[in-house]
Amino acid sequence: MGKIKKIGVLTSGGDAPGMNAAIRAVTRTAIYNNLEVIGIRHGYQGLINANFKPLHAHSVSDIIQRGGTILKTARCEAFKTPEGRLSAYNNLKEAQIDGVVVIGGDGSFTGARIFNEEYDIPFVGVPGTIDNDIYGTDYTIGYDTALNTVVQAVDKIRDTASAHNRMFFIEVMGAEAGFIALYSGIATGAEAIIIPEIKGQARNLKEMIESGNTRKKSSNIIIVAEGDEEGGAFAIAEKVKEDFKDYDIRVTVLGHLQRGGSPSAIDRVNASRLGHAAVEALLDDQKSVMVGLIHDEISLVPFAKAVKLHKNVNMALVEIARILSV
Ligand code: ADP
């Protein structure tokens, strides 16, 4: 028998649809391997408060299709302090938890990496964030659902924009990465896409409008990632309004609706694979690693690499978006 007999699972940081499917996969894979499973509530705060509850096979019934996370998530400043992490360690020891699966984003993995430098209880990560911006995996849980939510919303806005000959600036999530903006922009035939990875796009926008292309169209959709250098869709729309007073310009910020909803089939399947792989990794004595998917195969990436290196958007797609929007 291996030394892992009891594992904990938690969700941390920003929530993403499909986290429940991952919790289910972790729980059932662990039980299949004769491990006990403890659900840790409210992310790292639950480690510090010993907010633990045993999970059984039936505890995760009927959740694969639900958005959010049954374990709740949280941001926890105390885990950034040595004292907070010591309490977390003491609580894990007392509950005899031998390993922890962390479902979250790069902030959560930074916390897990630091904890594993200090203490010997292995942490393994599952990438869960709608932004898809984690290095070492082609895919993060929640991205596919969020992307489809955005596409549906933009299609609806396109209908009303066409009816009135309006220009719409639509802000989507992506504080540091333009994956949702770029993919939703291509999928909805947006006239322009503004993402943090490319500088000077607001200036190009002016050129595009001046070139007259926009005047020939009955509607103009411009997708803006929230983390763009100009300060978001409202700021860019204000500038354009100053330069083009005769345009009927509107702004929509999609906001938190992008985080909710029933996960897509892709998110459910990938969350199931990643959750399963995380338990296998713990059983293989891995620690301080994230499980990812590269070319549809499971990969293991050290936390240090996953959080430090930057995942770039595919510049070929930026070019395609530009060509197709003329
Ligand atoms: P995400 O995991 O979605 O990127 P956050 O960046 O908010 O979300 O991080 C989630 C939690 O991870 C934080 O609230 C904190 O508890 C923990 N964390 C983040 N950075 C650190 C750090 N430098 N040291 C310890 N814990 C951290």
Side-chain angles (χ1 to χ4, degrees):
M1 274 295 280
K3 62 182 174 15
I4 303 241
K5 296 195 169 49
K6 193 194 269 191
I7 65 163
V9 56
L10 61 84
T11 48
S12 169
D15 62 308
M19 281 183 158
N20 279 328
I23 295 167
R24 172 180 177 270
V26 168
T27 303
R28 297 234 166 127
T29 304
I31 290 168
Y32 179 83
N33 285 285
N34 299 315
L35 308 179
E36 279 182 70
V37 190
I38 301 296
I40 300 158
R41 291 165 60 82
H42 303 283
Y44 291 136
Q45 195 61 53
L47 279 183
I48 291 170
N49 299 345
N51 195 343
F52 302 156
K53 68 164 187 183
L55 293 177
H56 307 285
H58 66 263
S59 316
V60 292
S61 295
D62 200 21
I63 65 168
I64 195 168
Q65 77 280 26
R66 294 186 202 283
T69 155
I70 59 161
L71 292 176
K72 311 281 185 182
T73 183
R75 297 204 153 90
C76 170
E77 285 304 309
F79 199 71
K80 294 183 180 172
T81 67
E83 299 76 33
R85 292 191 295 275
L86 177 61
S87 309
Y89 175 74
N90 288 336
N91 289 332
L92 285 168
K93 271 286 175 207
E94 192 171 328
Q96 297 181 315
I97 294 171
D98 309 309
V100 175
V101 176
V102 174
I103 304 165
D106 55 2
S108 304
F109 296 163
T110 300
R113 179 185 62 76
I114 293 169
F115 184 89
N116 266 180
E117 278 170 6
E118 298 169 337
Y119 300 108
D120 58 0
I121 298 175
F123 277 38
V124 168
V126 171
T129 160
I130 63 167
D131 292 336
N132 201 29
D133 60 347
I134 297 182
Y135 178 87
T137 184
D138 294 337
Y139 161 89
T140 61
I141 295 168
Y143 169 63
D144 185 66
T145 305
L147 183 57
N148 282 289
T149 300
V150 169
V151 167
Q152 284 180 16
V154 175
D155 285 347
K156 289 177 185 170
I157 293 171
R158 174 76 83 180
D159 289 345
T160 172
S162 301
H164 292 275
N165 283 347
R166 278 180 179 150
M167 176 179 281
F168 264 89
F169 287 84
I170 304 172
E171 186 174 297
V172 302
M173 282 188 171
E176 276 146 48
F179 289 95
I180 292 180
L182 179 58
Y183 277 71
S184 67
I186 293 175
T188 57
E191 277 62 35
I193 303 165
I194 297 181
I195 56 176
E197 289 85 348
I198 303 181
K199 305 295 167 204
Q201 285 179 298
R203 199 175 52 242
N204 295 343
L205 199 59
K206 200 175 162 202
E207 281 162 20
M208 182 191 94
I209 296 170
E210 275 166 349
S211 76
N213 260 341
T214 57
R215 289 174 202 276
K216 295 184 207 117
K217 299 199 178 193
S218 63
S219 63
N220 281 279
I221 298 286
I222 293 147
I223 309 269
V224 183
E226 65 183 344
D228 89 287
E229 61 183 339
E230 301 287 333
F234 276 105
I236 297 179
E238 275 309 313
K239 280 201 179 135
V240 172
K241 262 187 209 164
E242 278 170 25
D243 291 331
F244 301 92
K245 297 212 163 42
D246 55 329
Y247 268 67
D248 189 2
I249 294 172
R250 302 295 158 108
V251 178
T252 300
V253 177
L254 294 184
H256 282 81
L257 70 85
Q258 295 165 86
R259 287 196 187 278
S262 179
S264 68
I266 292 280
D267 273 332
R268 296 181 198 191
V269 172
N270 285 342
S272 299
R273 292 181 70 185
L274 290 165
H276 171 264
V279 176
E280 299 259 293
L282 281 175
L283 289 170
D284 286 344
D285 293 331
Q286 296 285 347
K287 66 181 271 191
S288 206
V289 294
M290 175 193 85
V291 294
L293 278 169
I294 301 267
H295 302 313
D296 207 32
E297 297 287 340
I298 294 290
S299 60
L300 294 180
V301 191
F303 282 143
K305 254 184 151 176
V307 299
K308 213 161 93 200
L309 298 179
H310 186 71
K311 179 170 159 190
N312 290 319
V313 294
N314 183 345
M315 284 300 157
L317 293 183
V318 174
E319 178 62 1
I320 287 172
R322 193 184 64 78
I323 292 169
L324 301 187
S325 67
V326 292

